[in-house]
Amino acid sequence: MALYVLYESASGYGLFLAHGIDEIGQNTEAVRSSVSDLNRFGKVVKLAAFSPYESALDALNQCNAVSEGQMTDELRNFLELTLPKVKEGKKPKFSLGVAEPKLGSHIYEVTKIPCQSNEFVLELLRGVRLHFERFIENLKPGDLEKAQLGLGHSYSRAKVKFNVNRVDNMVIQAIFILDTLDKDVNSFSMRRMVLLAFPELAKIVNDNYLYAKVAKYVEDKSQLSEDNLAGLTDIVGDEDKAKEIIEAAKASMGQDLSPIDLINVKQFAQRVMDLAEYRKKLYDYLVAKMNDIAPNLAALIGEVVGARLISHAGSLTNLAKCPSSTLQILGAEKALFRALKTRGNTPKYGLIFHSSFIGRASARNKGRMARYLANKCSIASRIDCFLDKSTTAFGEKLREQVEERLDFYDKGVAPRKNLDVMKSAIETVDGKEDEPTNVNGDANEEPKTEKKKKKKEKRKADDEEEQEKSDVNGSNVEDGTAAKKQKKKKSKDEDMEDLPAVSEGKKKKKKSRTEDSE
């Protein structure tokens, strides 16, 4: 059986015929040893056909199709023209070797050309790649390298731009930086330096940002007096706490710092303040970005927890593909595998634990609540991923369902059905689309009572029109109504006649029963 090998180069498609397969016996080691020597390899492999690309754009399209395992029309025409034709009902006397198994299966599905992809074929392709310049005639030195470089740049650039998950990349980076900033601010060495001079301040002011602002304002505790009360009150926000700081400074056990040390403390305090302010701006950016990318997930579980779920899954698409059971323990993989290894209890929740719903549930119902919340998060992520319109209606309704489930666990109040809730969410979305908008963009919202009044007025107008028409056609209408009334009376009379007959039959039955008993 003849073996053809398809090689996708940067300049075009090449089809090679491998001779002496029976002699070699498809020995991979023999091919591997003969690859480096062109004289030996040229006796085994020969060029059968070559089809160059029309342009650099065509080369990029062909490369993208091959990487996705798809056969293009150009490749199909090339194979059908160069390979022997496959007769119906007969086995082909050749096979095609390809590097990508997906491409081979697609070629076989469309053209019925038998394909194979194994180590032997890959070794042949390695030799073809090594000696490709010598197989192609009229190829100038350096042309193949230029084609490979240009195709590599364009392919990489297209892959970077054509990133399906590029929208949520910024959310993943933002939540990562946000967590890093929290760790940096907490572990900053500024607080330890201030502790040497004013150790009592750490017990009075717990917040890192306020602590840094107070440390920068105070500088030297020995110079702190009642004149600084107004400034401390503005920073701390509490006059009693400001007085407590002043009193603590008077009886402080800390050591005195030199002017150079005070300058360093001031610089550290400013650095912490800058980091805290940048964290606030980054948090606002994350909230805005989450409302654009995953509004329903953010409305259901919050922006930070939703961003952590997206970051841990890798993208919103990956999160949407996850079942609710996977989403429930997302972030607790170590505990899960440890439990499976030791045959212990598996974890009930992962990153979802940071949601307020899990904290509000009782200890007995935390696992149930985590399972239910994971189910709703899975629905919300799929809606955000595959819905074309941006809306928070579904997320708000799902949040109401979670609230109802909490009430059900605590008080026993029966929640609504999921079908009814989804129908109401779809109605709200459709209602928002149907509402007309003003020039300013505000919807014309009319109360329900006014709408009902308008409907009643329309009905009255329709009734009046019908009455006018009936007056015009008076005689015909009166005759019709009279006939209808007569028919009704006749039917009633017939019913009344039937009733006594039935009662007489019953009386006869009763009499017969009494006679039998006697």
Side-chain angles (χ1 to χ4, degrees):
M1 180 182 287
L3 175 63
Y4 290 90
V5 179
L6 178 65
Y7 175 64
E8 310 91 5
S9 69
S11 56
Y13 290 113
L15 191 67
F16 294 84
L17 177 61
H19 292 282
I21 299 300
D22 295 334
E23 288 80 359
I24 296 175
Q26 292 193 356
N27 189 357
T28 308
E29 292 295 332
V31 176
R32 189 175 294 134
S33 60
S34 65
V35 161
S36 58
D37 189 4
L38 180 61
N39 295 326
R40 293 179 60 190
F41 188 75
K43 295 177 182 178
V44 178
V45 179
K46 290 185 179 180
L47 180 66
F50 179 72
S51 175
Y53 299 134
E54 295 179 357
S55 61
L57 182 61
D58 184 32
L60 178 61
N61 294 332
Q62 299 294 330
C63 184
N64 285 327
V66 170
S67 65
E68 293 173 1
Q70 299 294 322
M71 180 181 62
T72 59
D73 295 335
E74 292 81 3
L75 179 57
R76 181 179 180 179
N77 295 332
F78 172 66
L79 292 176
E80 289 178 348
L81 288 172
T82 53
L83 289 173
K85 293 183 179 180
V86 180
K87 295 181 180 180
E88 295 182 359
K90 292 185 178 180
K91 291 183 179 181
K93 296 181 180 180
F94 68 94
S95 63
L96 180 65
V98 294
E100 294 290 336
K102 291 182 179 179
L103 179 62
S105 62
H106 190 245
I107 291 172
Y108 179 74
E109 288 176 2
V110 177
T111 62
K112 301 301 179 182
I113 296 173
C115 300
Q116 59 176 331
S117 178
N118 48 33
E119 292 184 4
F120 179 73
V121 173
L122 293 177
E123 288 297 330
L124 289 176
L125 287 172
R126 191 167 69 89
V128 169
R129 191 183 304 109
L130 184 62
H131 306 292
F132 184 72
E133 293 180 354
R134 301 180 184 179
F135 282 109
I136 307 299
E137 296 179 356
N138 301 325
L139 189 65
K140 297 179 181 179
D143 289 349
L144 187 61
E145 286 78 4
K146 290 180 182 178
Q148 289 174 349
L149 186 63
L151 181 60
H153 280 297
S154 58
Y155 179 76
S156 302
R157 195 181 304 115
K159 278 296 178 184
V160 170
K161 287 183 179 179
F162 185 70
N163 185 4
V164 181
N165 307 319
R166 69 183 182 276
V167 180
D168 46 30
N169 278 339
M170 298 308 295
V171 170
I172 295 171
Q173 299 299 327
I175 192 64
F176 177 74
I177 296 172
L178 198 69
D179 294 337
T180 307
L181 282 175
D182 289 335
K183 292 178 183 177
D184 290 343
V185 171
N186 288 330
S187 62
F188 222 124
S189 59
M190 181 275 310
R191 172 169 271 194
R192 296 179 183 175
M193 292 182 65
V194 179
L195 279 174
L196 298 174
F198 198 176
E200 293 83 6
L201 184 61
K203 297 179 181 179
I204 301 172
V205 182
N206 297 322
D207 186 64
N208 287 328
Y209 182 65
L210 292 179
Y211 187 90
K213 290 184 78 172
V214 171
K216 184 183 177 184
Y217 180 79
V218 171
E219 291 187 8
D220 191 3
K221 66 179 184 301
S222 60
Q223 298 177 0
L224 199 63
S225 62
E226 296 293 335
D227 299 334
N228 306 112
L229 182 61
L232 284 173
T233 305
D234 293 337
I235 295 171
V236 179
D238 188 2
E239 187 176 355
D240 296 334
K241 193 172 284 187
K243 291 180 180 179
E244 188 177 355
I245 292 171
I246 295 172
E247 295 295 329
K250 293 178 181 178
S252 177
M253 299 293 292
Q255 64 182 18
D256 295 331
L257 298 178
S258 63
I260 297 174
D261 294 335
L262 290 174
I263 291 171
N264 286 326
V265 168
K266 193 174 181 180
Q267 289 178 352
F268 273 118
Q270 186 62 43
R271 182 66 59 85
V272 173
M273 289 168 59
D274 294 340
L275 286 175
E277 290 171 359
Y278 174 65
R279 187 202 175 282
K280 290 180 181 178
K281 293 179 182 177
L282 188 64
Y283 176 76
D284 296 337
Y285 168 78
L286 180 65
V287 170
K289 202 71 179 172
M290 281 294 293
N291 289 328
D292 292 336
I293 295 167
N296 294 292
L297 186 63
L300 172 61
I301 203 171
E303 291 84 3
V304 177
V305 182
R308 284 201 177 99
L309 288 173
I310 293 173
S311 176
H312 200 82
S315 66
L316 182 61
T317 308
N318 292 344
L319 185 66
K321 291 176 182 177
C322 290
S324 59
S325 57
T326 304
L327 196 147
Q328 180 182 350
I329 58 171
L330 206 65
E333 288 83 3
K334 288 184 179 179
L336 174 66
F337 292 125
R338 184 170 61 247
L340 293 174
K341 189 176 181 180
T342 59
R343 297 183 181 179
N345 295 328
T346 55
K348 296 178 182 177
Y349 28 69
L351 293 171
I352 291 182
F353 181 75
H354 297 288
S355 173
S356 60
F357 294 115
I358 307 296
R360 287 163 55 189
S362 60
R364 180 186 175 186
N365 298 323
K366 283 186 185 295
R368 297 178 185 175
M369 202 65 224
R371 186 167 60 251
Y372 189 80
L373 184 60
N375 181 16
K376 299 306 172 187
C377 287
S378 179
I379 295 172
S381 62
R382 289 168 189 175
I383 291 172
D384 290 328
C385 184
F386 301 110
L387 191 68
D388 296 333
K389 305 163 188 175
S390 179
T391 177
T392 59
F394 294 97
E396 292 170 357
K397 295 293 181 181
L398 291 172
R399 189 179 181 88
E400 290 176 5
Q401 276 190 293
V402 179
E403 294 282 356
E404 291 174 1
R405 181 64 61 166
L406 272 174
D407 294 338
F408 173 69
Y409 289 146
D410 294 339
K411 303 173 185 177
V413 181
R416 292 177 292 173
K417 291 184 179 180
N418 191 36
L419 183 63
D420 299 335
V421 175
M422 289 295 105
K423 282 183 179 178
S424 63
I426 293 170
E427 288 175 359
T428 54
V429 172
D430 295 338
K432 287 180 181 178
E433 291 177 0
D434 296 338
E435 283 178 356
T437 54
N438 291 329
V439 179
N440 297 329
D442 298 329
N444 287 328
E445 296 180 355
E446 295 182 355
K448 293 182 179 179
T449 55
E450 293 180 2
K451 290 183 179 179
K452 288 182 179 179
K453 287 180 181 177
K454 286 187 176 182
K455 287 182 180 178
K456 288 181 179 179
E457 290 175 0
K458 286 182 180 179
R459 288 176 183 172
K460 287 181 180 179
D462 295 337
D463 294 337
E464 289 176 358
E465 289 178 1
E466 289 178 358
Q467 287 178 1
E468 289 175 359
K469 289 180 182 178
S470 64
D471 293 338
V472 174
N473 303 324
S475 59
N476 296 329
V477 175
E478 287 175 358
D479 295 337
T481 52
K484 287 180 181 178
K485 288 179 180 179
Q486 288 177 0
K487 286 181 180 179
K488 288 181 180 179
K489 286 182 179 179
K490 286 181 181 179
S491 61
K492 286 182 180 178
D493 295 337
E494 290 174 356
D495 295 336
M496 294 298 289
E497 289 176 358
D498 294 336
L499 287 171
V502 173
S503 60
E504 288 175 0
K506 289 182 179 179
K507 288 179 181 178
K508 288 180 181 179
K509 288 181 180 179
K510 288 181 179 179
K511 287 180 180 179
S512 61
R513 286 177 184 175
T514 52
E515 290 173 357
D516 294 337
S517 61
E518 291 174 355

